Amino acid sequence: MGVSFDSEKKQFHLTTCHTSYIMEVLLGKHLVHHYWGQRVKIASAFELPLVEQSSFSPNPEPEHKEISFDTIPREFPDYGRSDYESPAIEVQLADGTHVIAPEYQSHRIQPGSVQPKGLPFIEAETGDSSETLVITLADSFSGLTIELYYTVLEKQDVITRKVVLTNQGEKPITIKRVMSATVDFFRDDHFEIINLYGAWAMERQVCRIPLGRHGHIIDSKRGSSSHEQNPFLALVRPETDEFRGEVYSMNLIYSGSFQAEASVNAHGKTRLQIGLNPIDFSWYLQPDEKFTSPEAVLVYSSRGLNGMSQIYHQLYRTRLYKGYWSKRERPILINNWEATYFDFDQDKIEQLIEESSRLGIELFVLDDGWFGKRNSDKSGLGDWWVNREKLPKGLKALSEAAHSRGMMFGLWFEPEMVSPDSDLYRSHPEWCLSVPGRYRSEGRNQLILDMGREEVQDYLYQRMTSIISENNINYIKWDMNRNMTEVGSPILSSERQKESSHRYILGLYRLLEKLISHFPEVLFESCSGGGGRFDPGMLYYMPQTWTSDNTDSVERLKIQWGTSYVYPPISMGAHVSACPNHQMGRTTSLKTRANVAMAGNMGYELDILTLSDREKKEILQQLSLYKKIRKTVQSGKFIRLRSPYGSASSAWMFLAEDQSEILLFFYLTLATPYNNFDKIRLTGLEEDSLYQDQSGQQYYGDYLMYSGLNLPELKGDFDSQLIIMNRIG
Ligand code: DGJ
């Protein structure tokens, strides 16, 4: 278990409870990859069947014509010595050349995990039986040393990887590309790929296509992990489904531009990799300096896509964000954005607070518009002082109004941005990301602060700490509403301009670290025009993310389904909003809106002052129901049963950690003539457990799993049903 090294065969075996990962040092210097997949015995014979290739696969070893990097599986591929696929590393040396020959030097094995400097990571705990293997490769000509870190979390069934580069030479080295993880599958190209793509209001849609005989790049060049692609890529067997079959996946713990790639070469060698996006990056490494890559999480499952997701969910719920809220049930919030947009005053907010408390809501969140001269999205960002014209009694009065009614009070910020029409911009126009002599493109009428500058971090830290402390704020919604353009930083030298984007992310993480340490009990929720930065980097600091600005329950089914491939339901902000829906114009019942929101971190976002008594009564009931089932939703096992993509109905279930409760959510998106002939099989239950539903009907676990539950008859489009079953024996 953990890490072992066979000094005779020069083989490394990394073992988790269900997986093995095997490498070898060939000829005492080349680190090759043997295997990643279902666990095999350590004694198993792993050997590369090396055969001589044609002259189009050149040989970097004069005495070994059977070795070409074109054909053998490599652990950390460089470019320029017979490997023609995308490399894990690319550099430019001081003489302008690009070829390096990293060779095995040494290795060490240490307990636990290691934090990549200034970056979020998976922190192992003592009971995880975790070990870290560090393999050192070196290019003797340039003095570049490469340390490959593999942390094996045996119990969690996870391996994390990262890379530390050190310049031990005498001249600077420019790093042009560094992938956090690369895996070669030797003579194995029987795959399809899955990625999560999207756009604003339709994030993390599932895309699955054959791998074919070419490369697929999934990336973001936007300076954020993005709405368009999530930093996740999986290889699956064509026969893999939600419940069965192999999945090999990577997820990058990073919130900026990234690249993931899957490709197959002519010899049937498949390469999967993930790391920083090279288009947006280079790093000028002076002698004795180090560079650390973000950490990648590698998850293998032989139990299909649900098997993969459950590994991620468990890991991210317990080993990513580790603060005050990690083991606590999250409060049900109400946010005023879709109720008022910018059009509110002290009275309106006070009335909303009062009404929310009557309904049993636990946290009131005041969104955009409380600060500076901010009555539209055209001005004010950066001026983090309360707008006394709008809120003459200040934030304190609102926060007290909530607290006096037993509710928490939360506030919206968009710290990384500045409006050109703001006092901050007028006094510090140089604080923006920009390129001298170039127009500063605006997005949503705003520019981006250069988070790599310490004075920017300090300003934001100062403003935010004083607003939070003076007004007793319990929750922060941290928004970010545009992507990067004209990326550059006037404080960096010319060789370092391409560091701006990564330095921005490092600066952002530094600020977040300081703030969460200062306010350990404040609950932070990340947002980027909805889910434009739904990634494990953000979840390390802020345990929940606003999943999408699209609050339409039908669209949300697809968004939450795709998001759940990697991220647990507790991390997904999911609100009941008004109808017709503001994004889609669709009308759905309050029941269905709640049944979709209840499958995540539930909240409300509508003008409750305009609701009828009947609607208020229904909301009261929803809130009390969610409070009862919240533990199972937020810390139970989530299982996808029927996909909303391309089908008229869909379903998912939650199973309490101790199996005492089942929540089956069934959604009928489009009515069909034979709705009432439907049944669904549940999974993950103990065969002999006896469950009883709300109507008193009893079922054994084996019946629910093998015969299946007859679904209730639903009528009409957009209907839904939550079936709750409790174990009685
Ligand atoms: C974008 C967010 O996603 C919304 O929820 C809201 O906070 C607006 N920004 C406010 O400007």
Side-chain angles (χ1 to χ4, degrees):
M1 290 292 217
V3 180
S4 69
F5 180 63
D6 181 331
S7 52
E8 224 166 86
K9 293 186 193 154
K10 299 273 180 292
Q11 283 185 358
F12 297 99
H13 282 244
L14 277 45
T15 315
T16 70
C17 46
H18 296 106
T19 68
S20 292
Y21 188 105
I22 299 162
M23 299 167 271
E24 180 180 329
V25 184
L26 194 67
L27 303 180
K29 51 181 164 180
H30 304 302
L31 189 62
V32 299
H33 179 85
H34 274 299
Y35 175 77
W36 176 31
Q38 183 120 8
R39 191 165 136 191
V40 292
K41 289 180 190 57
I42 290 202
S44 310
F46 275 93
E47 233 176 278
L48 286 181
L50 298 171
V51 286
E52 226 172 273
Q53 294 292 315
S54 75
S55 53
F56 285 91
S57 295
N59 314 110
E61 285 293 337
E63 303 304 322
H64 291 274
K65 297 296 180 206
E66 74 285 8
I67 290 188
S68 169
F69 295 150
D70 200 13
T71 54
I72 67 172
R74 308 179 72 207
E75 194 56 29
F76 195 70
D78 52 273
Y79 176 74
R81 298 186 303 141
S82 80
D83 188 324
Y84 299 104
E85 304 309 302
S86 295
I89 185 159
E90 212 188 330
V91 300
Q92 183 166 13
L93 304 181
D95 62 4
T97 61
H98 295 257
V99 177
I100 51 167
E103 292 181 354
Y104 171 82
Q105 292 283 297
S106 61
H107 71 269
R108 58 181 197 275
I109 298 168
Q110 58 195 67
S113 52
V114 182
Q115 176 160 23
K117 198 165 177 276
L119 288 160
F121 76 123
I122 299 293
E123 188 179 356
E125 286 181 5
T126 326
D128 297 344
S129 323
S130 65
E131 281 186 320
T132 298
L133 164 69
V134 187
I135 303 178
T136 305
L137 313 175
D139 175 44
S140 55
F141 180 77
S142 64
L144 180 66
T145 299
I146 301 167
E147 286 173 302
L148 306 179
Y149 281 73
Y150 300 80
T151 297
V152 180
L153 290 107
E154 189 188 307
K155 293 224 172 97
Q156 281 75 11
D157 241 347
V158 164
I159 296 173
T160 64
R161 289 183 58 178
K162 58 186 164 276
V163 179
V164 177
L165 305 172
T166 311
N167 184 353
Q168 294 190 339
E170 281 161 11
K171 296 191 178 135
I173 298 171
T174 304
I175 304 159
K176 297 174 75 178
R177 174 189 179 95
V178 56
M179 290 291 121
S180 300
T182 298
V183 176
D184 277 0
F185 296 79
F186 186 54
R187 297 183 178 179
D188 188 358
D189 56 359
H190 189 55
F191 293 115
E192 294 182 351
I193 61 168
I194 295 183
N195 63 293
L196 302 172
Y197 76 99
W200 175 80
M202 52 168 289
E203 299 90 338
R204 290 167 300 287
Q205 309 284 307
V206 179
C207 173
R208 178 172 178 162
I209 52 167
L211 179 57
R213 284 268 163 179
H214 49 91
H216 301 259
I217 292 183
I218 307 303
D219 78 347
S220 162
K221 308 177 187 76
R222 295 171 172 267
S224 79
S225 51
S226 85
H227 298 87
E228 284 70 12
Q229 294 289 349
N230 199 257
F232 162 82
L233 185 59
L235 291 174
V236 295
R237 301 294 177 190
E239 60 276 14
T240 296
D241 62 18
E242 285 290 348
F243 310 100
R244 285 161 292 270
E246 290 191 299
V247 188
Y248 303 81
S249 70
M250 291 182 179
N251 187 211
L252 193 68
I253 308 181
Y254 191 62
S255 312
S257 301
F258 73 93
Q259 181 174 300
E261 188 172 346
S263 59
V264 186
N265 79 356
H267 306 280
K269 182 169 74 171
T270 300
R271 180 166 289 172
L272 179 66
Q273 56 180 208
I274 200 161
L276 294 169
N277 195 325
I279 198 158
D280 213 4
F281 169 80
S282 76
W283 202 268
Y284 189 67
L285 204 63
Q286 296 273 23
D288 296 327
E289 281 183 352
K290 280 186 190 298
F291 177 81
T292 307
S293 81
E295 188 166 272
V297 180
L298 277 65
V299 171
Y300 165 82
S301 157
S302 59
R303 294 174 296 116
L305 292 159
N306 271 312
M308 170 196 75
S309 302
Q310 280 152 20
I311 295 173
Y312 279 117
H313 291 185
Q314 171 73 9
L315 185 79
Y316 289 173
R317 279 199 285 112
T318 58
R319 298 290 179 275
L320 193 56
Y321 167 83
K322 302 188 78 174
Y324 180 83
W325 287 98
S326 61
K327 296 197 175 73
R328 289 187 157 74
E329 289 179 22
R330 306 291 164 74
I332 304 171
L333 66 79
I334 187 159
N335 179 306
N336 74 305
W337 179 243
E338 287 197 14
T340 64
Y341 296 102
F342 291 104
D343 186 17
F344 61 83
D345 56 20
Q346 195 109 26
D347 277 357
K348 174 82 184 183
I349 300 298
E350 273 171 14
Q351 285 168 28
L352 284 169
I353 291 175
E354 203 181 322
E355 192 59 41
S356 326
S357 82
R358 273 197 216 115
L359 294 174
I361 287 171
E362 298 160 324
L363 161 65
F364 186 90
V365 181
L366 179 59
D367 209 278
D368 196 353
W370 57 266
F371 54 90
K373 289 202 177 65
R374 181 82 169 166
N375 295 314
S376 74
D377 63 14
K378 293 194 172 51
S379 60
L381 289 174
D383 296 342
W384 301 111
W385 280 269
V386 181
N387 180 339
R388 288 275 173 178
E389 272 166 38
K390 229 178 194 175
L391 303 173
K393 292 188 259 164
L395 282 178
K396 189 95 179 268
L398 295 178
S399 140
E400 273 166 7
H403 292 145
S404 66
R405 291 174 173 81
M407 289 168 76
M408 296 161 67
F409 185 72
L411 202 58
W412 180 96
F413 277 91
E414 193 175 0
E416 300 155 69
M417 300 289 152
V418 63
S419 308
D421 183 5
S422 66
D423 291 341
L424 180 67
Y425 188 72
R426 282 182 281 275
S427 47
H428 287 292
E430 77 287 2
W431 277 9
C432 290
L433 283 179
S434 64
V435 174
R438 303 276 169 204
Y439 175 68
R440 299 176 175 191
S441 303
E442 291 175 17
R444 207 196 188 201
N445 312 299
Q446 60 201 52
L447 296 167
I448 306 184
L449 291 172
D450 181 357
M451 296 299 294
R453 291 173 85 123
E454 277 191 29
E455 63 270 45
V456 171
Q457 297 163 26
D458 293 346
Y459 167 78
L460 293 171
Y461 179 71
Q462 192 278 327
R463 285 315 314 137
M464 290 187 74
T465 46
S466 67
I467 295 276
I468 297 171
S469 331
E470 282 160 21
N471 301 294
N472 199 0
I473 306 295
N474 312 106
Y475 159 107
I476 298 292
K477 177 174 172 188
W478 184 297
D479 206 348
M480 194 285 278
N481 282 302
R482 62 156 292 182
N483 289 138
M484 293 183 184
T485 52
E486 297 89 32
V487 185
S489 174
I491 56 167
L492 297 177
S493 62
S494 57
E495 305 86 359
R496 295 194 180 276
Q497 282 302 312
K498 264 193 142 188
E499 296 175 12
S500 313
S501 174
H502 183 56
R503 283 183 183 275
Y504 176 100
I505 299 293
L506 292 174
L508 169 64
Y509 288 157
R510 184 168 172 269
L511 175 60
L512 282 167
E513 185 68 56
K514 276 176 73 177
L515 284 167
I516 63 168
S517 313
H518 195 130
F519 299 106
E521 291 184 17
V522 170
L523 175 60
F524 283 76
E525 176 158 346
S526 142
C527 170
S528 172
R533 224 166 36 179
F534 205 133
D535 60 65
M538 282 293 145
L539 287 174
Y540 175 82
Y541 303 98
M542 311 195 236
Q544 55 196 62
T545 300
W546 177 224
T547 312
S548 177
D549 275 349
N550 195 334
T551 54
D552 171 67
S553 50
V554 177
E555 285 306 303
R556 270 302 186 109
L557 287 174
K558 288 185 273 177
I559 296 169
Q560 291 175 208
W561 178 278
T563 305
S564 78
Y565 268 48
V566 188
Y567 308 104
I570 191 173
S571 65
M572 294 182 214
H575 299 176
V576 174
S577 62
C579 266
N581 176 268
H582 292 194
Q583 294 77 34
M584 305 299 296
R586 185 181 278 134
T587 298
T588 55
S589 66
L590 193 50
K591 173 175 104 176
T592 290
R593 280 176 271 157
N595 279 343
V596 175
M598 281 197 211
N601 197 327
M602 195 201 201
Y604 287 79
E605 188 163 338
L606 73 174
D607 189 351
I608 44 173
L609 301 175
T610 60
L611 296 179
S612 66
D613 287 346
R614 189 191 52 76
E615 287 169 316
K616 284 186 196 160
K617 199 167 156 220
E618 199 175 335
I619 290 183
L620 262 169
Q621 286 161 354
Q622 292 169 354
L623 280 154
S624 88
L625 175 63
Y626 189 68
K627 286 174 190 169
K628 283 195 201 115
I629 61 170
R630 168 164 56 185
K631 188 160 184 272
T632 302
V633 171
Q634 299 191 354
S635 61
K637 190 185 273 186
F638 175 75
I639 306 169
R640 292 178 299 271
L641 296 175
R642 183 182 293 170
S643 169
Y645 290 87
S647 54
S649 64
S650 58
W652 49 43
M653 66 177 269
F654 292 83
L655 183 59
E657 255 181 320
D658 61 0
Q659 301 239 343
S660 60
E661 185 173 54
I662 301 170
L663 309 174
L664 173 67
F665 288 88
F666 172 61
Y667 307 97
L668 180 68
T669 312
L670 276 184
T672 60
Y674 298 105
N675 292 336
N676 49 346
F677 283 87
D678 205 357
K679 75 173 180 179
I680 199 148
R681 292 208 259 174
L682 275 52
T683 67
L685 311 176
E686 276 159 16
E687 291 179 352
D688 298 333
S689 295
L690 184 61
Y691 289 93
Q692 180 167 298
D693 70 15
Q694 298 109 306
S695 70
Q697 184 77 33
Q698 297 182 358
Y699 312 92
Y700 276 104
D702 55 4
Y703 171 86
L704 292 169
M705 291 194 290
Y706 310 138
S707 171
L709 184 74
N710 290 315
L711 286 166
E713 187 182 348
L714 299 182
K715 279 232 157 58
D717 299 343
F718 320 133
D719 201 357
S720 64
Q721 182 83 38
L722 164 59
I723 299 166
I724 303 175
M725 289 181 252
N726 289 102
R727 192 172 54 195
I728 52 165

